[in-house]
Amino acid sequence: MEDREPEVVFKKETVGKLLSLFFKDDKTKVSGDAVLLMAEMLKIFVQEAARRAAKQADTEDSGTVDIDHFEKILPQLLLDF
Amino acid sequence: MGDEFSHSQRLKAAIHFTVARCCEEVGQDCEKNFSKLAIAAISETTFKQCDIFAKDLEAFARHAKRTTVTVEDVKLAARRSASLANYIVQKSEELTSNTKEQKERRKKLTGKRKSGDSLPAAAAEGDDSSMAGDQNALG
C-alpha cells in the first residue's frame, strides 16, 4: 500500500535535540557527522535490545516479548554499550 | 520550566515512535510480538542511554579542549564492544567521504559564482578529476 522505508532510523533533528538536551554546558555543540553517527549508534542499541529480548522470549517458548524478557537481558545490554 | 518538560516529553515520544517501528521490524523477522510494556521499557532505556552517551561525548570533547563534539568522540563512546567499534568506524568513514563530496560540489559552485578569483585551482582540479572519471568510464 504505502512505500515503507527499508530501514528504521532516528531523525537527525531528534538526535541533535536529544544530545543538546542532556549536555550540561550550553556551549557544547555537535558536528553534523557526529549526530548522524549517534543516530546510527542508537539504532544499533534499539535493535540489539529488541533482538536479545526476542531471543529470551524464544528460550522461554513465549510468542510475545514481554517486559520480563527485556528485564532479563537488560544488565548485559547495558554492559555492552 | 513547563516548556522544558514538554520538550523532553516530545523527544521521548519521538524515541518511542522509532523504537516501536524498530520492534515491529525485529518482531516480523523473529516471528514474535512485542508487548506495549516491553516497547515502553526499551524506549525508556534508550532515553537514559542517550543521557549517558551525551554526558560521555561532552566529557570527551572537553578533554580534547573542544566545545564541539566530533566523530572522533563518538568513536570513543563506542569503544566497549569491538564489533560495535568496527561498525562505527566503518560508518564514520562512509560519512566523511560523503561530506567531502558535498563540500567539493559546493566549492565548485562558489568558484563559478565568484568567477574564479579565489578558488581557480580547486575548480580546475575538480574539472580534471571529473574528466579523468569520464575517460575511465569510456575506457
mmCIF file of all heavy atoms in Angstrom, chain B residues 4-31:
data_model
loop_
_atom_site.group_PDB
_atom_site.id
_atom_site.type_symbol
_atom_site.label_atom_id
_atom_site.label_comp_id
_atom_site.label_asym_id
_atom_site.label_seq_id
_atom_site.Cartn_x
_atom_site.Cartn_y
_atom_site.Cartn_z
ATOM 1 N N GLU B 4 10.233 23.296 29.153
ATOM 2 C CA GLU B 4 11.316 22.321 29.067
ATOM 3 C C GLU B 4 10.787 20.893 29.260
ATOM 4 O O GLU B 4 11.180 19.955 28.597
ATOM 5 C CB GLU B 4 12.347 22.649 30.147
ATOM 6 C CG GLU B 4 13.685 21.963 29.941
ATOM 7 C CD GLU B 4 14.669 22.378 31.014
ATOM 8 O OE1 GLU B 4 14.904 23.591 31.144
ATOM 9 O OE2 GLU B 4 15.164 21.501 31.712
ATOM 10 N N PHE B 5 9.820 20.777 30.185
ATOM 11 C CA PHE B 5 9.219 19.479 30.468
ATOM 12 C C PHE B 5 8.573 18.905 29.220
ATOM 13 O O PHE B 5 8.836 17.778 28.823
ATOM 14 C CB PHE B 5 8.180 19.645 31.585
ATOM 15 C CG PHE B 5 7.488 18.377 31.970
ATOM 16 C CD1 PHE B 5 8.174 17.382 32.645
ATOM 17 C CD2 PHE B 5 6.156 18.179 31.659
ATOM 18 C CE1 PHE B 5 7.538 16.209 33.001
ATOM 19 C CE2 PHE B 5 5.519 17.006 32.008
ATOM 20 C CZ PHE B 5 6.199 16.029 32.684
ATOM 21 N N SER B 6 7.774 19.746 28.550
ATOM 22 C CA SER B 6 7.079 19.245 27.372
ATOM 23 C C SER B 6 8.080 18.938 26.257
ATOM 24 O O SER B 6 7.873 18.031 25.465
ATOM 25 C CB SER B 6 6.041 20.250 26.905
ATOM 26 O OG SER B 6 6.673 21.326 26.270
ATOM 27 N N HIS B 7 9.192 19.709 26.229
ATOM 28 C CA HIS B 7 10.228 19.474 25.229
ATOM 29 C C HIS B 7 10.813 18.065 25.373
ATOM 30 O O HIS B 7 10.918 17.319 24.407
ATOM 31 C CB HIS B 7 11.317 20.535 25.376
ATOM 32 C CG HIS B 7 12.373 20.474 24.325
ATOM 33 N ND1 HIS B 7 12.093 20.627 22.987
ATOM 34 C CD2 HIS B 7 13.708 20.258 24.403
ATOM 35 C CE1 HIS B 7 13.206 20.520 22.301
ATOM 36 N NE2 HIS B 7 14.210 20.285 23.120
ATOM 37 N N SER B 8 11.161 17.700 26.620
ATOM 38 C CA SER B 8 11.742 16.368 26.817
ATOM 39 C C SER B 8 10.681 15.286 26.617
ATOM 40 O O SER B 8 10.985 14.194 26.120
ATOM 41 C CB SER B 8 12.387 16.259 28.192
ATOM 42 O OG SER B 8 11.406 16.145 29.190
ATOM 43 N N GLN B 9 9.423 15.594 26.963
ATOM 44 C CA GLN B 9 8.349 14.620 26.731
ATOM 45 C C GLN B 9 8.181 14.352 25.239
ATOM 46 O O GLN B 9 7.969 13.216 24.814
ATOM 47 C CB GLN B 9 7.011 15.155 27.277
ATOM 48 C CG GLN B 9 6.928 15.205 28.784
ATOM 49 C CD GLN B 9 7.052 13.836 29.430
ATOM 50 O OE1 GLN B 9 8.115 13.467 29.901
ATOM 51 N NE2 GLN B 9 5.970 13.088 29.446
ATOM 52 N N ARG B 10 8.289 15.415 24.444
ATOM 53 C CA ARG B 10 8.168 15.257 22.988
ATOM 54 C C ARG B 10 9.281 14.387 22.438
ATOM 55 O O ARG B 10 9.070 13.540 21.572
ATOM 56 C CB ARG B 10 8.252 16.624 22.310
ATOM 57 C CG ARG B 10 6.950 17.354 22.257
ATOM 58 C CD ARG B 10 7.172 18.570 21.423
ATOM 59 N NE ARG B 10 6.119 19.544 21.623
ATOM 60 C CZ ARG B 10 5.952 20.568 20.812
ATOM 61 N NH1 ARG B 10 6.755 20.731 19.779
ATOM 62 N NH2 ARG B 10 4.991 21.433 21.023
ATOM 63 N N LEU B 11 10.509 14.629 22.932
ATOM 64 C CA LEU B 11 11.641 13.833 22.454
ATOM 65 C C LEU B 11 11.458 12.375 22.845
ATOM 66 O O LEU B 11 11.759 11.469 22.065
ATOM 67 C CB LEU B 11 12.948 14.387 23.026
ATOM 68 C CG LEU B 11 13.396 15.700 22.392
ATOM 69 C CD1 LEU B 11 14.552 16.294 23.153
ATOM 70 C CD2 LEU B 11 13.787 15.474 20.944
ATOM 71 N N LYS B 12 10.916 12.154 24.054
ATOM 72 C CA LYS B 12 10.641 10.782 24.489
ATOM 73 C C LYS B 12 9.632 10.127 23.558
ATOM 74 O O LYS B 12 9.771 8.957 23.192
ATOM 75 C CB LYS B 12 10.081 10.796 25.915
ATOM 76 C CG LYS B 12 11.129 10.569 26.966
ATOM 77 C CD LYS B 12 10.489 10.312 28.321
ATOM 78 C CE LYS B 12 11.515 10.434 29.414
ATOM 79 N NZ LYS B 12 10.956 10.179 30.733
ATOM 80 N N ALA B 13 8.615 10.900 23.184
ATOM 81 C CA ALA B 13 7.596 10.364 22.272
ATOM 82 C C ALA B 13 8.204 10.023 20.926
ATOM 83 O O ALA B 13 7.866 8.992 20.326
ATOM 84 C CB ALA B 13 6.471 11.384 22.110
ATOM 85 N N ALA B 14 9.131 10.869 20.457
ATOM 86 C CA ALA B 14 9.797 10.609 19.176
ATOM 87 C C ALA B 14 10.591 9.311 19.255
ATOM 88 O O ALA B 14 10.557 8.482 18.335
ATOM 89 C CB ALA B 14 10.710 11.771 18.811
ATOM 90 N N ILE B 15 11.301 9.107 20.383
ATOM 91 C CA ILE B 15 12.069 7.875 20.577
ATOM 92 C C ILE B 15 11.121 6.683 20.612
ATOM 93 O O ILE B 15 11.359 5.665 19.950
ATOM 94 C CB ILE B 15 12.871 7.948 21.893
ATOM 95 C CG1 ILE B 15 14.045 8.888 21.730
ATOM 96 C CG2 ILE B 15 13.378 6.564 22.288
ATOM 97 C CD1 ILE B 15 14.948 8.933 22.926
ATOM 98 N N HIS B 16 10.013 6.838 21.339
ATOM 99 C CA HIS B 16 9.051 5.745 21.467
ATOM 100 C C HIS B 16 8.541 5.323 20.093
ATOM 101 O O HIS B 16 8.415 4.129 19.802
ATOM 102 C CB HIS B 16 7.900 6.193 22.366
ATOM 103 C CG HIS B 16 7.021 5.077 22.819
ATOM 104 N ND1 HIS B 16 6.073 4.521 21.999
ATOM 105 C CD2 HIS B 16 6.953 4.400 23.979
ATOM 106 C CE1 HIS B 16 5.454 3.548 22.650
ATOM 107 N NE2 HIS B 16 5.980 3.443 23.844
ATOM 108 N N PHE B 17 8.270 6.297 19.247
ATOM 109 C CA PHE B 17 7.768 6.031 17.898
ATOM 110 C C PHE B 17 8.762 5.195 17.093
ATOM 111 O O PHE B 17 8.410 4.159 16.515
ATOM 112 C CB PHE B 17 7.501 7.372 17.202
ATOM 113 C CG PHE B 17 7.158 7.263 15.757
ATOM 114 C CD1 PHE B 17 5.924 6.779 15.351
ATOM 115 C CD2 PHE B 17 8.076 7.652 14.787
ATOM 116 C CE1 PHE B 17 5.612 6.677 14.006
ATOM 117 C CE2 PHE B 17 7.765 7.549 13.449
ATOM 118 C CZ PHE B 17 6.533 7.062 13.058
ATOM 119 N N THR B 18 10.038 5.640 17.115
ATOM 120 C CA THR B 18 11.054 4.920 16.338
ATOM 121 C C THR B 18 11.310 3.534 16.918
ATOM 122 O O THR B 18 11.478 2.566 16.175
ATOM 123 C CB THR B 18 12.362 5.727 16.298
ATOM 124 O OG1 THR B 18 12.059 7.057 15.896
ATOM 125 C CG2 THR B 18 13.348 5.126 15.323
ATOM 126 N N VAL B 19 11.313 3.435 18.270
ATOM 127 C CA VAL B 19 11.547 2.137 18.913
ATOM 128 C C VAL B 19 10.423 1.168 18.540
ATOM 129 O O VAL B 19 10.673 -0.003 18.245
ATOM 130 C CB VAL B 19 11.652 2.298 20.449
ATOM 131 C CG1 VAL B 19 11.602 0.950 21.139
ATOM 132 C CG2 VAL B 19 12.946 3.006 20.820
ATOM 133 N N ALA B 20 9.176 1.680 18.536
ATOM 134 C CA ALA B 20 8.044 0.816 18.198
ATOM 135 C C ALA B 20 8.174 0.272 16.778
ATOM 136 O O ALA B 20 7.941 -0.914 16.531
ATOM 137 C CB ALA B 20 6.734 1.591 18.351
ATOM 138 N N ARG B 21 8.581 1.145 15.852
ATOM 139 C CA ARG B 21 8.755 0.691 14.456
ATOM 140 C C ARG B 21 9.880 -0.331 14.355
ATOM 141 O O ARG B 21 9.788 -1.315 13.619
ATOM 142 C CB ARG B 21 9.058 1.888 13.551
ATOM 143 C CG ARG B 21 7.839 2.741 13.298
ATOM 144 C CD ARG B 21 7.928 3.425 11.972
ATOM 145 N NE ARG B 21 9.184 4.134 11.799
ATOM 146 C CZ ARG B 21 9.593 4.630 10.645
ATOM 147 N NH1 ARG B 21 8.865 4.495 9.571
ATOM 148 N NH2 ARG B 21 10.739 5.261 10.551
ATOM 149 N N CYS B 22 10.953 -0.068 15.098
ATOM 150 C CA CYS B 22 12.109 -0.974 15.090
ATOM 151 C C CYS B 22 11.706 -2.344 15.646
ATOM 152 O O CYS B 22 12.076 -3.383 15.096
ATOM 153 C CB CYS B 22 13.227 -0.348 15.912
ATOM 154 S SG CYS B 22 14.824 -1.039 15.580
ATOM 155 N N CYS B 23 10.931 -2.336 16.749
ATOM 156 C CA CYS B 23 10.493 -3.588 17.365
ATOM 157 C C CYS B 23 9.580 -4.361 16.413
ATOM 158 O O CYS B 23 9.651 -5.593 16.340
ATOM 159 C CB CYS B 23 9.755 -3.314 18.669
ATOM 160 S SG CYS B 23 10.838 -2.894 20.021
ATOM 161 N N GLU B 24 8.750 -3.625 15.705
ATOM 162 C CA GLU B 24 7.852 -4.254 14.740
ATOM 163 C C GLU B 24 8.667 -5.003 13.678
ATOM 164 O O GLU B 24 8.368 -6.148 13.329
ATOM 165 C CB GLU B 24 7.013 -3.155 14.086
ATOM 166 C CG GLU B 24 5.746 -3.630 13.411
ATOM 167 C CD GLU B 24 5.054 -2.482 12.707
ATOM 168 O OE1 GLU B 24 4.725 -1.479 13.382
ATOM 169 O OE2 GLU B 24 4.877 -2.567 11.488
ATOM 170 N N GLU B 25 9.716 -4.317 13.212
ATOM 171 C CA GLU B 25 10.578 -4.895 12.184
ATOM 172 C C GLU B 25 11.260 -6.168 12.700
ATOM 173 O O GLU B 25 11.256 -7.206 12.032
ATOM 174 C CB GLU B 25 11.634 -3.854 11.809
ATOM 175 C CG GLU B 25 12.135 -3.964 10.400
ATOM 176 C CD GLU B 25 13.178 -2.909 10.109
ATOM 177 O OE1 GLU B 25 14.172 -2.810 10.864
ATOM 178 O OE2 GLU B 25 12.998 -2.191 9.140
ATOM 179 N N VAL B 26 11.833 -6.063 13.914
ATOM 180 C CA VAL B 26 12.510 -7.218 14.510
ATOM 181 C C VAL B 26 11.497 -8.333 14.770
ATOM 182 O O VAL B 26 11.783 -9.515 14.558
ATOM 183 C CB VAL B 26 13.222 -6.805 15.821
ATOM 184 C CG1 VAL B 26 13.769 -8.021 16.550
ATOM 185 C CG2 VAL B 26 14.358 -5.836 15.527
ATOM 186 N N GLY B 27 10.302 -7.942 15.222
ATOM 187 C CA GLY B 27 9.254 -8.920 15.508
ATOM 188 C C GLY B 27 8.858 -9.716 14.280
ATOM 189 O O GLY B 27 8.669 -10.933 14.356
ATOM 190 N N GLN B 28 8.773 -9.031 13.151
ATOM 191 C CA GLN B 28 8.453 -9.727 11.903
ATOM 192 C C GLN B 28 9.555 -10.710 11.539
ATOM 193 O O GLN B 28 9.292 -11.809 11.063
ATOM 194 C CB GLN B 28 8.288 -8.713 10.768
ATOM 195 C CG GLN B 28 6.909 -8.074 10.730
ATOM 196 C CD GLN B 28 6.822 -6.966 9.713
ATOM 197 O OE1 GLN B 28 7.788 -6.706 8.978
ATOM 198 N NE2 GLN B 28 5.687 -6.307 9.660
ATOM 199 N N ASP B 29 10.782 -10.274 11.809
ATOM 200 C CA ASP B 29 11.944 -11.103 11.476
ATOM 201 C C ASP B 29 11.990 -12.370 12.337
ATOM 202 O O ASP B 29 12.312 -13.452 11.849
ATOM 203 C CB ASP B 29 13.211 -10.259 11.702
ATOM 204 C CG ASP B 29 14.264 -10.561 10.667
ATOM 205 O OD1 ASP B 29 13.878 -10.971 9.557
ATOM 206 O OD2 ASP B 29 15.453 -10.401 10.979
ATOM 207 N N CYS B 30 11.669 -12.237 13.632
ATOM 208 C CA CYS B 30 11.783 -13.362 14.570
ATOM 209 C C CYS B 30 10.439 -14.034 14.836
ATOM 210 O O CYS B 30 10.365 -14.923 15.690
ATOM 211 C CB CYS B 30 12.372 -12.898 15.900
ATOM 212 S SG CYS B 30 13.851 -11.928 15.761
ATOM 213 N N GLU B 31 9.387 -13.570 14.149
ATOM 214 C CA GLU B 31 8.030 -14.095 14.363
ATOM 215 C C GLU B 31 7.603 -14.004 15.826
ATOM 216 O O GLU B 31 7.189 -14.982 16.449
ATOM 217 C CB GLU B 31 7.925 -15.532 13.841
ATOM 218 C CG GLU B 31 8.011 -15.589 12.331
ATOM 219 C CD GLU B 31 8.232 -16.977 11.796
ATOM 220 O OE1 GLU B 31 8.446 -17.889 12.610
ATOM 221 O OE2 GLU B 31 8.201 -17.144 10.580
#
